[in-house]
Amino acid sequence: MIRTLAIKPDILLLDEPMSALDYQSRLAISDDIYKIIKKEGKTAIMVTHDIAESVSISDKVIVLSKRPATVKSVYEIKLTNKSTPMNNRRCREFNDYYDKIWRDLDVHI
């Protein structure tokens, strides 16, 4: 990430940036990435399959349909007392967003 920021890009493209990490490391690193992006004033587009991660770190979540992928839903994430991803998971709206996005995915268990 530091090497990428060194070239001063306008937009960061993050494809499953924390997928290889264990759960505790993912939580800690997401806070670090969030703080760096905010400090540098960058826009980041992150691809993830982790709903909690997307809601906790994002200002906007875009849900794609199955192949061929089209935009299915767009959620403006507005959390009370928004701060770091770890703290955002404690916001009262967090579970509502999580549930709505889960339903959008049409996952049948």
Side-chain angles (χ1 to χ4, degrees):
M1 179 112 168
I2 299 303
R3 285 188 286 188
T4 300
L5 289 171
I7 61 170
K8 300 188 185 320
D10 293 326
I11 298 173
L12 299 171
L13 301 175
L14 307 170
D15 186 6
E16 298 278 355
M18 297 168 270
S19 63
L21 301 173
D22 62 82
Y23 187 70
Q24 290 82 4
S25 297
R26 284 177 85 132
L27 294 176
I29 295 297
S30 67
D31 273 6
D32 292 338
I33 289 173
Y34 179 85
K35 289 174 186 174
I36 291 168
I37 289 169
K38 290 297 180 186
K39 179 182 172 219
E40 296 294 321
K42 300 296 179 187
T43 297
I45 298 172
M46 181 174 74
V47 175
T48 183
H49 292 89
D50 185 327
I51 299 170
E53 181 177 80
S54 67
V55 172
S56 70
I57 203 168
S58 303
D59 294 325
K60 184 183 291 186
V61 173
I62 300 171
V63 178
L64 300 178
S65 69
K66 294 180 181 178
R67 291 185 180 145
T70 59
V71 174
K72 186 171 186 179
S73 303
V74 178
Y75 293 92
E76 297 283 339
I77 306 298
K78 297 180 185 201
L79 302 174
T80 306
N81 302 321
K82 189 168 185 171
S83 64
T84 63
M86 184 72 98
N87 289 330
N88 291 342
R89 291 170 185 256
R90 296 184 193 109
C91 291
R92 60 183 166 89
E93 304 89 352
F94 179 86
N95 287 330
D96 291 335
Y97 284 115
Y98 185 99
D99 292 342
K100 288 176 186 174
I101 293 168
W102 177 257
R103 284 192 300 271
D104 262 355
L105 295 176
D106 291 331
V107 178
H108 301 287
I109 297 177

